Amino acid sequence: MGVRAALAVHPDSGKGAAARIAGTVAARLRDHVERLDLVAANTVEQSRLLMDRSHSDGLDALVVLGGDGAAHQAVQFCARTGVALGLVPCGTGNDLARALGVPTDPIDAVDAVAAALREGRRRRLDLGTVGDTWFATVLCAGFDAAVNERANRMRWPRGPRRYDLAILAELASFRARTLVVDSDTGRVELPAVLVAVGNTRYYGGGVPICPEADPEDGLFDVTVVGEATRRELVRMLPSLRTGAHLDHPAVTTLRARRLTLSGGDWPVYADGESLGRLPVSVSCVPRALAVLG
């Protein structure tokens, strides 16, 4: 029996780009599978219902055409069912695809997925868990999560400028708070402005906040930015784009499989999705996700 696959299309991803190329992507996949189901949904509820329906009919692989939000929902499904995940990035961030070395061009990416389907190539990756929720990239709390939360509430402007304005607004009001990191390697307690728990390197559209994170080593890389003035934060922001922030004296790093974050009443985001507020307990589950490639 050949491979049974589904293509999950999130039409709004990439300002509608996913909808425009869905037919091309589906055509390139059909030659390499026995059956291809189309799952097109913009809401979490629709996506879950259609994925479950497809899985009940038998499913070997789920290919996602969309951004990080779409990938996050697919990870919930694939980790639960054991179905292999394929990524065709078509969003604004594409941080999971970037971390896994998926081609940035959607057509090149679908050709890579098709080759993996044809040759039966799969990788096993670690995932993070918070309660019943899985995450594949980075969990963050503090300043960066507050920026994400503020930007999500803003209706204007659209695109990257919205995040620029959210950063400026948070810089004006954000204050360091005592952060406690209890892990299987010890305890860290210090005034801090943000903490990032990385299963992979990137968040925020290509920021390598945990530049040495490896999703196949069974451990998180944790980056803590300690107490810093607004001026110091502004100076540090450019270094985040290169990973040079690890050399800053305010930055502390550690590696752990399990940890609890507590202290201030900070918002918590993982894979760009809201997970409530601190405190939160996080675990790394080795080899929890099968990925085509």
Side-chain angles (χ1 to χ4, degrees):
M1 182 179 293
V3 173
R4 297 158 297 180
L7 173 63
V9 181
H10 291 248
D12 289 347
S13 293
K15 299 180 180 179
R20 291 192 293 272
I21 66 171
T24 300
V25 171
R28 287 177 178 255
L29 289 174
R30 283 198 177 96
D31 289 339
H32 304 280
V33 298
E34 178 181 289
R35 190 189 83 206
L36 182 69
D37 299 335
L38 183 63
V39 178
N42 274 320
T43 70
V44 173
E45 293 75 15
Q46 289 175 333
S47 181
R48 286 177 178 170
L49 177 63
L50 292 171
M51 286 181 191
D52 286 341
R53 185 178 300 163
S54 186
H55 182 247
S56 68
D57 294 333
L59 190 64
D60 300 304
L62 174 66
V63 181
V64 175
L65 174 61
D68 284 319
H72 178 75
Q73 292 306 322
V75 164
Q76 311 311 304
F77 173 81
C78 291
R80 176 168 54 85
T81 62
V83 171
L85 174 65
L87 296 174
V88 181
C90 194
T92 55
N94 304 320
D95 285 314
L96 180 57
R98 180 180 288 103
L100 301 183
V102 175
T104 56
D105 180 82
I107 301 305
D108 291 341
V110 73
D111 287 346
V113 169
L117 287 168
R118 183 175 63 250
E119 298 165 13
R121 289 187 282 106
R122 298 187 179 191
R123 298 169 58 188
R124 301 293 308 195
L125 304 181
D126 308 335
L127 290 176
T129 60
V130 177
D132 295 330
T133 301
W134 301 89
F135 69 92
T137 58
V138 177
L139 177 144
C140 62
F143 177 77
D144 44 1
V147 168
N148 200 335
E149 188 171 66
R150 182 181 289 269
N152 287 344
R153 294 196 303 264
M154 297 167 62
R155 294 294 174 262
W156 181 91
R158 299 180 66 86
R161 286 287 296 163
R162 182 172 60 180
Y163 287 90
D164 292 341
L165 291 179
I167 288 172
L168 291 175
E170 285 301 322
L171 279 171
S173 60
F174 199 84
R175 298 290 183 274
R177 298 179 184 177
T178 298
L179 173 72
V180 181
V181 182
D182 280 306
S183 75
D184 46 12
T185 59
R187 168 179 274 220
V188 175
E189 183 172 352
L190 75 169
V193 295
L194 70 86
V195 56
V197 180
N199 181 55
T200 55
R201 299 178 179 184
Y202 303 103
Y203 75 167
V207 177
I209 187 67
C210 300
E212 298 178 0
D214 180 354
E216 297 178 86
D217 66 0
L219 295 169
F220 293 127
D221 279 35
V222 182
T223 300
V224 180
V225 178
E227 188 169 19
T229 66
R230 284 191 289 272
R231 179 175 294 181
E232 287 172 328
L233 273 177
V234 169
R235 289 176 175 173
M236 189 185 300
L237 288 175
S239 70
L240 294 176
R241 288 286 174 184
T242 64
H245 60 285
L246 295 191
D247 297 327
H248 194 283
V251 173
T252 299
T253 62
L254 60 105
R255 308 184 79 214
R257 179 167 292 180
R258 291 175 297 275
L259 63 153
T260 298
L261 307 175
S262 60
D265 182 30
W266 282 348
V268 178
Y269 276 70
D271 290 349
E273 304 293 319
S274 176
L275 293 185
R277 308 187 81 82
L278 294 183
V280 66
S281 294
V282 190
S283 297
C284 180
V285 182
R287 298 174 56 82
L289 179 69
V291 176
L292 296 171

mmCIF file of all heavy atoms in Angstrom, residues 94-130:
data_model
loop_
_atom_site.group_PDB
_atom_site.id
_atom_site.type_symbol
_atom_site.label_atom_id
_atom_site.label_comp_id
_atom_site.label_asym_id
_atom_site.label_seq_id
_atom_site.Cartn_x
_atom_site.Cartn_y
_atom_site.Cartn_z
ATOM 1 N N ASN A 94 7.846 31.473 9.918
ATOM 2 C CA ASN A 94 8.429 30.220 9.424
ATOM 3 C C ASN A 94 9.628 29.768 10.257
ATOM 4 O O ASN A 94 10.617 29.265 9.715
ATOM 5 C CB ASN A 94 8.829 30.358 7.953
ATOM 6 C CG ASN A 94 7.675 30.784 7.065
ATOM 7 O OD1 ASN A 94 6.549 30.334 7.232
ATOM 8 N ND2 ASN A 94 7.945 31.673 6.131
ATOM 9 N N ASP A 95 9.530 29.920 11.583
ATOM 10 C CA ASP A 95 10.683 29.622 12.435
ATOM 11 C C ASP A 95 10.978 28.130 12.541
ATOM 12 O O ASP A 95 12.147 27.741 12.604
ATOM 13 C CB ASP A 95 10.470 30.206 13.832
ATOM 14 C CG ASP A 95 10.657 31.711 13.852
ATOM 15 O OD1 ASP A 95 11.653 32.185 13.270
ATOM 16 O OD2 ASP A 95 9.823 32.417 14.429
ATOM 17 N N LEU A 96 9.956 27.288 12.573
ATOM 18 C CA LEU A 96 10.222 25.845 12.629
ATOM 19 C C LEU A 96 10.868 25.382 11.336
ATOM 20 O O LEU A 96 11.863 24.639 11.354
ATOM 21 C CB LEU A 96 8.931 25.074 12.898
ATOM 22 C CG LEU A 96 9.089 23.550 12.979
ATOM 23 C CD1 LEU A 96 10.104 23.147 14.041
ATOM 24 C CD2 LEU A 96 7.745 22.882 13.237
ATOM 25 N N ALA A 97 10.332 25.812 10.209
ATOM 26 C CA ALA A 97 10.921 25.431 8.920
ATOM 27 C C ALA A 97 12.367 25.905 8.822
ATOM 28 O O ALA A 97 13.249 25.171 8.358
ATOM 29 C CB ALA A 97 10.095 26.017 7.778
ATOM 30 N N ARG A 98 12.628 27.120 9.283
ATOM 31 C CA ARG A 98 13.992 27.667 9.257
ATOM 32 C C ARG A 98 14.931 26.807 10.107
ATOM 33 O O ARG A 98 16.054 26.504 9.690
ATOM 34 C CB ARG A 98 13.969 29.109 9.770
ATOM 35 C CG ARG A 98 15.341 29.779 9.784
ATOM 36 C CD ARG A 98 15.242 31.209 10.309
ATOM 37 N NE ARG A 98 14.590 32.098 9.360
ATOM 38 C CZ ARG A 98 13.327 32.524 9.465
ATOM 39 N NH1 ARG A 98 12.579 32.156 10.493
ATOM 40 N NH2 ARG A 98 12.828 33.324 8.556
ATOM 41 N N ALA A 99 14.485 26.425 11.293
ATOM 42 C CA ALA A 99 15.327 25.639 12.189
ATOM 43 C C ALA A 99 15.655 24.268 11.606
ATOM 44 O O ALA A 99 16.727 23.709 11.878
ATOM 45 C CB ALA A 99 14.643 25.479 13.544
ATOM 46 N N LEU A 100 14.736 23.727 10.794
ATOM 47 C CA LEU A 100 14.935 22.393 10.237
ATOM 48 C C LEU A 100 15.591 22.418 8.868
ATOM 49 O O LEU A 100 15.762 21.367 8.239
ATOM 50 C CB LEU A 100 13.586 21.657 10.160
ATOM 51 C CG LEU A 100 12.857 21.478 11.493
ATOM 52 C CD1 LEU A 100 11.580 20.668 11.294
ATOM 53 C CD2 LEU A 100 13.755 20.818 12.526
ATOM 54 N N GLY A 101 15.962 23.608 8.400
ATOM 55 C CA GLY A 101 16.631 23.704 7.112
ATOM 56 C C GLY A 101 15.732 23.489 5.915
ATOM 57 O O GLY A 101 16.202 23.134 4.826
ATOM 58 N N VAL A 102 14.428 23.723 6.087
ATOM 59 C CA VAL A 102 13.490 23.588 4.974
ATOM 60 C C VAL A 102 13.701 24.753 4.007
ATOM 61 O O VAL A 102 13.873 25.896 4.436
ATOM 62 C CB VAL A 102 12.039 23.596 5.503
ATOM 63 C CG1 VAL A 102 11.032 23.589 4.357
ATOM 64 C CG2 VAL A 102 11.812 22.396 6.426
ATOM 65 N N PRO A 103 13.701 24.517 2.703
ATOM 66 C CA PRO A 103 13.860 25.621 1.742
ATOM 67 C C PRO A 103 12.834 26.723 1.983
ATOM 68 O O PRO A 103 11.668 26.446 2.292
ATOM 69 C CB PRO A 103 13.642 24.945 0.383
ATOM 70 C CG PRO A 103 14.030 23.510 0.605
ATOM 71 C CD PRO A 103 13.610 23.200 2.009
ATOM 72 N N THR A 104 13.246 27.965 1.833
ATOM 73 C CA THR A 104 12.347 29.086 2.080
ATOM 74 C C THR A 104 11.317 29.263 0.974
ATOM 75 O O THR A 104 10.218 29.760 1.223
ATOM 76 C CB THR A 104 13.141 30.398 2.241
ATOM 77 O OG1 THR A 104 13.947 30.599 1.069
ATOM 78 C CG2 THR A 104 14.044 30.324 3.463
ATOM 79 N N ASP A 105 11.652 28.877 -0.237
ATOM 80 C CA ASP A 105 10.702 28.957 -1.339
ATOM 81 C C ASP A 105 9.705 27.800 -1.238
ATOM 82 O O ASP A 105 10.107 26.627 -1.150
ATOM 83 C CB ASP A 105 11.430 28.882 -2.677
ATOM 84 C CG ASP A 105 10.462 28.970 -3.848
ATOM 85 O OD1 ASP A 105 10.070 30.089 -4.205
ATOM 86 O OD2 ASP A 105 10.091 27.908 -4.380
ATOM 87 N N PRO A 106 8.394 28.081 -1.228
ATOM 88 C CA PRO A 106 7.403 27.006 -1.045
ATOM 89 C C PRO A 106 7.492 25.901 -2.090
ATOM 90 O O PRO A 106 7.288 24.723 -1.760
ATOM 91 C CB PRO A 106 6.064 27.742 -1.122
ATOM 92 C CG PRO A 106 6.368 29.152 -0.745
ATOM 93 C CD PRO A 106 7.749 29.412 -1.271
ATOM 94 N N ILE A 107 7.794 26.252 -3.335
ATOM 95 C CA ILE A 107 7.868 25.222 -4.370
ATOM 96 C C ILE A 107 9.080 24.322 -4.141
ATOM 97 O O ILE A 107 8.992 23.090 -4.270
ATOM 98 C CB ILE A 107 7.908 25.861 -5.773
ATOM 99 C CG1 ILE A 107 6.657 26.726 -5.992
ATOM 100 C CG2 ILE A 107 7.996 24.780 -6.839
ATOM 101 C CD1 ILE A 107 5.348 25.995 -5.769
ATOM 102 N N ASP A 108 10.212 24.915 -3.782
ATOM 103 C CA ASP A 108 11.378 24.100 -3.439
ATOM 104 C C ASP A 108 11.085 23.229 -2.227
ATOM 105 O O ASP A 108 11.523 22.065 -2.154
ATOM 106 C CB ASP A 108 12.585 24.997 -3.142
ATOM 107 C CG ASP A 108 13.114 25.699 -4.380
ATOM 108 O OD1 ASP A 108 12.800 25.243 -5.504
ATOM 109 O OD2 ASP A 108 13.835 26.707 -4.225
ATOM 110 N N ALA A 109 10.332 23.780 -1.266
ATOM 111 C CA ALA A 109 10.015 23.024 -0.050
ATOM 112 C C ALA A 109 9.114 21.834 -0.354
ATOM 113 O O ALA A 109 9.324 20.734 0.174
ATOM 114 C CB ALA A 109 9.353 23.944 0.971
ATOM 115 N N VAL A 110 8.103 22.024 -1.207
ATOM 116 C CA VAL A 110 7.215 20.898 -1.511
ATOM 117 C C VAL A 110 7.949 19.837 -2.312
ATOM 118 O O VAL A 110 7.691 18.624 -2.156
ATOM 119 C CB VAL A 110 5.927 21.362 -2.223
ATOM 120 C CG1 VAL A 110 6.176 21.775 -3.657
ATOM 121 C CG2 VAL A 110 4.874 20.253 -2.173
ATOM 122 N N ASP A 111 8.893 20.244 -3.148
ATOM 123 C CA ASP A 111 9.695 19.254 -3.875
ATOM 124 C C ASP A 111 10.560 18.447 -2.900
ATOM 125 O O ASP A 111 10.750 17.233 -3.093
ATOM 126 C CB ASP A 111 10.572 19.948 -4.911
ATOM 127 C CG ASP A 111 9.777 20.455 -6.111
ATOM 128 O OD1 ASP A 111 8.611 20.027 -6.262
ATOM 129 O OD2 ASP A 111 10.317 21.268 -6.885
ATOM 130 N N ALA A 112 11.067 19.095 -1.844
ATOM 131 C CA ALA A 112 11.843 18.379 -0.826
ATOM 132 C C ALA A 112 10.955 17.407 -0.058
ATOM 133 O O ALA A 112 11.368 16.275 0.240
ATOM 134 C CB ALA A 112 12.500 19.377 0.124
ATOM 135 N N VAL A 113 9.720 17.833 0.264
ATOM 136 C CA VAL A 113 8.776 16.934 0.936
ATOM 137 C C VAL A 113 8.437 15.750 0.036
ATOM 138 O O VAL A 113 8.386 14.596 0.487
ATOM 139 C CB VAL A 113 7.503 17.705 1.335
ATOM 140 C CG1 VAL A 113 6.400 16.728 1.776
ATOM 141 C CG2 VAL A 113 7.802 18.688 2.456
ATOM 142 N N ALA A 114 8.205 16.021 -1.240
ATOM 143 C CA ALA A 114 7.873 14.949 -2.183
ATOM 144 C C ALA A 114 9.005 13.932 -2.272
ATOM 145 O O ALA A 114 8.768 12.714 -2.309
ATOM 146 C CB ALA A 114 7.569 15.545 -3.558
ATOM 147 N N ALA A 115 10.244 14.418 -2.288
ATOM 148 C CA ALA A 115 11.390 13.509 -2.335
ATOM 149 C C ALA A 115 11.461 12.651 -1.077
ATOM 150 O O ALA A 115 11.761 11.448 -1.145
ATOM 151 C CB ALA A 115 12.678 14.310 -2.508
ATOM 152 N N ALA A 116 11.173 13.263 0.084
ATOM 153 C CA ALA A 116 11.188 12.507 1.337
ATOM 154 C C ALA A 116 10.093 11.449 1.345
ATOM 155 O O ALA A 116 10.295 10.321 1.823
ATOM 156 C CB ALA A 116 11.021 13.460 2.518
ATOM 157 N N LEU A 117 8.907 11.788 0.804
ATOM 158 C CA LEU A 117 7.824 10.805 0.709
ATOM 159 C C LEU A 117 8.223 9.653 -0.211
ATOM 160 O O LEU A 117 8.011 8.478 0.105
ATOM 161 C CB LEU A 117 6.556 11.479 0.177
ATOM 162 C CG LEU A 117 5.810 12.403 1.133
ATOM 163 C CD1 LEU A 117 4.762 13.216 0.381
ATOM 164 C CD2 LEU A 117 5.150 11.589 2.252
ATOM 165 N N ARG A 118 8.823 9.993 -1.340
ATOM 166 C CA ARG A 118 9.203 8.989 -2.323
ATOM 167 C C ARG A 118 10.274 8.050 -1.774
ATOM 168 O O ARG A 118 10.240 6.832 -2.018
ATOM 169 C CB ARG A 118 9.711 9.690 -3.591
ATOM 170 C CG ARG A 118 10.086 8.760 -4.722
ATOM 171 C CD ARG A 118 10.456 9.534 -5.965
ATOM 172 N NE ARG A 118 11.631 10.385 -5.776
ATOM 173 C CZ ARG A 118 11.594 11.720 -5.741
ATOM 174 N NH1 ARG A 118 10.448 12.363 -5.866
ATOM 175 N NH2 ARG A 118 12.708 12.423 -5.573
ATOM 176 N N GLU A 119 11.220 8.619 -1.011
ATOM 177 C CA GLU A 119 12.348 7.831 -0.521
ATOM 178 C C GLU A 119 12.141 7.297 0.901
ATOM 179 O O GLU A 119 13.005 6.584 1.425
ATOM 180 C CB GLU A 119 13.608 8.704 -0.559
ATOM 181 C CG GLU A 119 13.961 9.150 -1.983
ATOM 182 C CD GLU A 119 14.961 10.299 -1.998
ATOM 183 O OE1 GLU A 119 15.565 10.567 -0.928
ATOM 184 O OE2 GLU A 119 15.127 10.933 -3.060
ATOM 185 N N GLY A 120 11.015 7.649 1.519
ATOM 186 C CA GLY A 120 10.725 7.159 2.865
ATOM 187 C C GLY A 120 11.621 7.734 3.941
ATOM 188 O O GLY A 120 11.892 7.080 4.944
ATOM 189 N N ARG A 121 12.104 8.972 3.763
ATOM 190 C CA ARG A 121 13.014 9.592 4.734
ATOM 191 C C ARG A 121 12.251 10.322 5.835
ATOM 192 O O ARG A 121 11.397 11.157 5.547
ATOM 193 C CB ARG A 121 13.971 10.560 4.027
ATOM 194 C CG ARG A 121 15.018 9.880 3.176
ATOM 195 C CD ARG A 121 16.027 10.881 2.639
ATOM 196 N NE ARG A 121 15.496 11.630 1.508
ATOM 197 C CZ ARG A 121 15.110 12.884 1.542
ATOM 198 N NH1 ARG A 121 15.187 13.568 2.686
ATOM 199 N NH2 ARG A 121 14.653 13.476 0.460
ATOM 200 N N ARG A 122 12.601 10.017 7.079
ATOM 201 C CA ARG A 122 11.996 10.679 8.231
ATOM 202 C C ARG A 122 13.061 10.937 9.293
ATOM 203 O O ARG A 122 14.008 10.170 9.423
ATOM 204 C CB ARG A 122 10.881 9.829 8.858
ATOM 205 C CG ARG A 122 9.707 9.542 7.934
ATOM 206 C CD ARG A 122 8.587 8.845 8.673
ATOM 207 N NE ARG A 122 7.458 8.581 7.788
ATOM 208 C CZ ARG A 122 6.275 8.180 8.205
ATOM 209 N NH1 ARG A 122 6.073 7.984 9.500
ATOM 210 N NH2 ARG A 122 5.296 7.971 7.354
ATOM 211 N N ARG A 123 12.867 12.043 10.040
ATOM 212 C CA ARG A 123 13.700 12.360 11.208
ATOM 213 C C ARG A 123 12.810 12.331 12.446
ATOM 214 O O ARG A 123 11.607 12.578 12.367
ATOM 215 C CB ARG A 123 14.309 13.760 11.080
ATOM 216 C CG ARG A 123 15.215 13.969 9.920
ATOM 217 C CD ARG A 123 15.534 15.453 9.738
ATOM 218 N NE ARG A 123 16.155 16.054 10.929
ATOM 219 C CZ ARG A 123 16.380 17.354 11.062
ATOM 220 N NH1 ARG A 123 16.004 18.198 10.111
ATOM 221 N NH2 ARG A 123 16.964 17.822 12.152
ATOM 222 N N ARG A 124 13.427 12.048 13.596
ATOM 223 C CA ARG A 124 12.710 12.123 14.860
ATOM 224 C C ARG A 124 13.237 13.322 15.637
ATOM 225 O O ARG A 124 14.445 13.434 15.872
ATOM 226 C CB ARG A 124 12.903 10.854 15.688
ATOM 227 C CG ARG A 124 12.459 9.584 15.027
ATOM 228 C CD ARG A 124 10.973 9.468 14.813
ATOM 229 N NE ARG A 124 10.172 9.694 15.982
ATOM 230 C CZ ARG A 124 8.875 9.369 16.079
ATOM 231 N NH1 ARG A 124 8.269 8.785 15.048
ATOM 232 N NH2 ARG A 124 8.192 9.622 17.179
ATOM 233 N N LEU A 125 12.332 14.220 16.023
ATOM 234 C CA LEU A 125 12.698 15.439 16.731
ATOM 235 C C LEU A 125 12.101 15.466 18.133
ATOM 236 O O LEU A 125 11.049 14.877 18.389
ATOM 237 C CB LEU A 125 12.203 16.673 15.966
ATOM 238 C CG LEU A 125 12.639 16.836 14.520
ATOM 239 C CD1 LEU A 125 12.066 18.132 13.974
ATOM 240 C CD2 LEU A 125 14.156 16.814 14.400
ATOM 241 N N ASP A 126 12.784 16.185 19.018
ATOM 242 C CA ASP A 126 12.250 16.432 20.352
ATOM 243 C C ASP A 126 11.128 17.466 20.265
ATOM 244 O O ASP A 126 11.071 18.280 19.344
ATOM 245 C CB ASP A 126 13.332 16.991 21.284
ATOM 246 C CG ASP A 126 14.595 16.149 21.296
ATOM 247 O OD1 ASP A 126 14.507 14.935 20.996
ATOM 248 O OD2 ASP A 126 15.667 16.706 21.614
ATOM 249 N N LEU A 127 10.257 17.444 21.279
ATOM 250 C CA LEU A 127 9.241 18.476 21.445
ATOM 251 C C LEU A 127 9.207 18.909 22.898
ATOM 252 O O LEU A 127 9.599 18.148 23.793
ATOM 253 C CB LEU A 127 7.847 17.970 21.043
ATOM 254 C CG LEU A 127 7.576 17.717 19.564
ATOM 255 C CD1 LEU A 127 6.178 17.137 19.388
ATOM 256 C CD2 LEU A 127 7.733 18.993 18.737
ATOM 257 N N GLY A 128 8.724 20.110 23.133
ATOM 258 C CA GLY A 128 8.463 20.565 24.485
ATOM 259 C C GLY A 128 6.994 20.382 24.820
ATOM 260 O O GLY A 128 6.135 20.373 23.927
ATOM 261 N N THR A 129 6.693 20.225 26.104
ATOM 262 C CA THR A 129 5.308 20.128 26.547
ATOM 263 C C THR A 129 5.063 21.077 27.709
ATOM 264 O O THR A 129 5.925 21.254 28.575
ATOM 265 C CB THR A 129 4.917 18.716 27.002
ATOM 266 O OG1 THR A 129 5.751 18.313 28.104
ATOM 267 C CG2 THR A 129 5.041 17.712 25.886
ATOM 268 N N VAL A 130 3.886 21.683 27.704
ATOM 269 C CA VAL A 130 3.356 22.444 28.832
ATOM 270 C C VAL A 130 1.947 21.910 29.053
ATOM 271 O O VAL A 130 1.041 22.195 28.271
ATOM 272 C CB VAL A 130 3.321 23.954 28.547
ATOM 273 C CG1 VAL A 130 2.698 24.706 29.716
ATOM 274 C CG2 VAL A 130 4.709 24.484 28.268
#
